[in-house]
Amino acid sequence: MKKLILILLLSASFTSLFAQKHKTENVIIVTIDGLRWQEIFRGADSALINSKETNDKAEVRKNFWTDAVNERRKMLVPFFWSTIVQHGQLYGNRDIGSKDEVANPYHFSYPGYNEIFTGFPDPRMNTNEAITNPNMNLLEFLNKQKGFENKVAAFSSWERFPQILNTQRSGIVNNSGYMKLNTPGMNDRLQFLNEIQNEGPHFLGDSTRIDYLTFEFAKTYMKQYKPRALYVAFDEPDDMAHGGNYKVYLDRIHQEDDYIKQLWDFVQTDAAYKNKTTLIITCDHGRGDVPLLKWRDHGKETTNSEQTWFAVIGPDTPASGEMKLPTTTYHKQLAQTIANLLGFDFKAAAGHEVGDAIGSVTGK
């Protein structure tokens, strides 16, 4: 009993100490569906550029190709290889021995997002169908914390997030697919986006929204309502990969790098966010790589599609650049990592298994 009391006291002291020292007061989480680690760390793939997967090869080479990998990846995702590499951390470059993976065995979207936000690979979450997630998720947990009430919002292109994040139970603001945003006091820009979103091209189908609109909703909402926790989920790279369109896959990655830069630039100029906001960027799954055309696919039968990446930048994260750890990081660790950055312990409150925080992110 005395030993148990001592452990509890030490745990409480650690939690209190961390809460006092952390600088992060807000968090922005961005996911890019199906974006491979290969493009993040190597830039455009010459084998795919020179294959039937790429039309207008000359334009792609002009925009995204050079022989030097460090320059090539910067051409594709300049925000990653300027701002984040200088002031944050990047995980998952297997060329230097950095391994990041999903822990779930399914390697597709719903299980991947469940793992990120609940902190564990629930075997029941094994479909992309509209089943309601019974698990407590990080955004729901944050919405219950003092100072975060009604300050948590999620914007996604894919229509499945109301079920993944169980927004009916969690009560967070959620705007997914082509649903209208319904928040009291919306400014003219948000009302305009509601009006025009169905007038634009639905090239991802009638349920999955184009990423430009998701970005505009999220950015405008952020400027007006100043959420403490904001989630933005992009979708287009995955759709372009499934369609075997490498040119547009690269174009969409490049564009979304700029969307993320715009969000971070706003953070750096706004008093509510500057020097007290952490940005986390990741994906829901990897893709195949051998044979070449397997880049289109992912799933438990697709070799290497568990291989992923993530990036983080913020006031509590050491500016270590590309990371090389002796152990593999897993996406089930991200929920507790983000909670710790904000001074909270999601693992203690979740009511289910949650992966341990990644100490190198929090500087521990």
Side-chain angles (χ1 to χ4, degrees), residues 266-325:
F266 174 70
V267 164
Q268 298 306 102
T269 60
D270 187 89
Y273 293 111
K274 186 176 181 180
N275 298 327
K276 46 191 173 183
T277 300
T278 291
L279 168 67
I280 300 97
I281 314 163
T282 190
C283 59
D284 53 336
H285 54 72
R287 316 196 75 82
D289 53 2
V290 178
L292 184 65
L293 291 187
K294 278 295 183 180
W295 87 279
R296 295 185 180 190
D297 302 326
H298 56 84
K300 65 188 303 181
E301 304 302 325
T302 302
T303 303
N304 295 333
S305 59
E306 78 283 357
Q307 297 176 1
T308 47
W309 57 272
F310 76 94
V312 58
I313 182 172
D316 295 301
T317 299
S320 305
E322 287 191 82
M323 303 297 290
K324 182 179 179 181
L325 302 181

Side-chain angles (χ1 to χ4, degrees), residues 61-116:
R61 292 189 188 104
K62 176 183 176 182
N63 292 336
F64 300 120
W65 183 259
T66 181
D67 289 337
V69 65
N70 288 356
E71 292 301 314
R72 188 166 68 242
R73 62 192 187 183
K74 191 172 183 178
M75 292 171 73
L76 182 62
V77 281
F79 177 72
F80 278 74
W81 294 108
S82 56
T83 302
I84 297 180
V85 77
Q86 290 181 24
H87 304 290
Q89 299 177 354
L90 298 104
Y91 294 76
N93 186 354
R94 289 175 175 259
D95 293 333
I96 63 169
S98 178
K99 295 181 180 180
D100 183 69
E101 298 180 3
V102 293
N104 77 80
Y106 307 111
H107 311 164
F108 60 89
S109 291
Y110 196 138
Y113 293 120
N114 169 77
E115 181 178 338
I116 290 169

Side-chain angles (χ1 to χ4, degrees), residues 49-62:
I49 292 174
N50 293 318
S51 76
K52 65 179 182 179
E53 302 293 284
T54 302
N55 56 18
D56 204 341
K57 294 175 171 53
E59 182 181 350
V60 172
R61 292 189 188 104
K62 176 183 176 182

Side-chain angles (χ1 to χ4, degrees), residues 6-239:
L6 179 60
I7 291 171
L8 291 173
L9 286 172
L10 288 172
S11 176
S13 297
F14 173 80
T15 302
S16 175
L17 182 63
F18 183 82
Q20 292 170 15
K21 287 189 173 183
H22 80 95
K23 298 176 183 177
T24 299
E25 298 179 12
N26 317 285
V27 65
I28 301 170
I29 305 164
V30 178
T31 55
I32 305 176
D33 200 301
L35 173 49
R36 303 192 307 171
W37 71 267
Q38 287 93 332
E39 276 73 28
I40 292 292
F41 292 101
R42 296 175 180 170
D45 186 327
S46 61
L48 284 167
I49 292 174
N50 293 318
S51 76
K52 65 179 182 179
E53 302 293 284
T54 302
N55 56 18
D56 204 341
K57 294 175 171 53
E59 182 181 350
V60 172
R61 292 189 188 104
K62 176 183 176 182
N63 292 336
F64 300 120
W65 183 259
T66 181
D67 289 337
V69 65
N70 288 356
E71 292 301 314
R72 188 166 68 242
R73 62 192 187 183
K74 191 172 183 178
M75 292 171 73
L76 182 62
V77 281
F79 177 72
F80 278 74
W81 294 108
S82 56
T83 302
I84 297 180
V85 77
Q86 290 181 24
H87 304 290
Q89 299 177 354
L90 298 104
Y91 294 76
N93 186 354
R94 289 175 175 259
D95 293 333
I96 63 169
S98 178
K99 295 181 180 180
D100 183 69
E101 298 180 3
V102 293
N104 77 80
Y106 307 111
H107 311 164
F108 60 89
S109 291
Y110 196 138
Y113 293 120
N114 169 77
E115 181 178 338
I116 290 169
F117 286 102
T118 70
F120 84 113
D122 188 345
R124 297 173 297 175
M125 303 298 103
N126 58 11
T127 178
N128 275 344
E129 297 302 315
I131 62 168
T132 301
N133 194 334
N135 303 308
M136 168 77 78
N137 68 73
L138 174 68
L139 298 181
E140 179 180 7
F141 166 76
L142 291 177
N143 200 43
K144 296 177 180 179
Q145 307 309 310
K146 185 177 180 180
F148 284 78
E149 307 96 326
N150 302 314
K151 287 287 186 179
V152 180
F155 293 84
S156 61
S157 297
W158 192 32
E159 68 273 18
R160 192 60 66 235
F161 279 92
Q163 293 81 36
I164 295 172
L165 299 175
N166 199 340
T167 54
Q168 185 174 7
R169 184 189 69 203
S170 66
I172 67 170
V173 171
N174 177 255
N175 178 255
S176 297
Y178 281 96
M179 67 168 59
K180 285 192 173 184
L181 181 64
N182 184 20
T183 304
M186 289 191 303
N187 63 27
D188 290 344
R189 176 64 174 169
L190 287 172
Q191 293 181 40
F192 174 71
L193 290 168
N194 266 345
E195 292 170 8
I196 62 102
Q197 66 171 332
N198 278 302
E199 297 176 10
H202 288 204
F203 65 79
L204 302 180
D206 290 333
S207 299
T208 302
R209 180 169 58 193
I210 61 173
D211 287 342
Y212 169 73
L213 287 168
T214 296
F215 166 67
E216 286 295 328
F217 268 110
K219 179 182 68 173
T220 308
Y221 183 93
M222 184 182 181
K223 289 181 176 181
Q224 179 178 357
Y225 293 99
K226 305 295 174 62
R228 298 282 305 276
L230 176 68
Y231 173 46
V232 187
F234 296 126
D235 189 80
E236 290 171 3
D238 188 63
D239 289 274

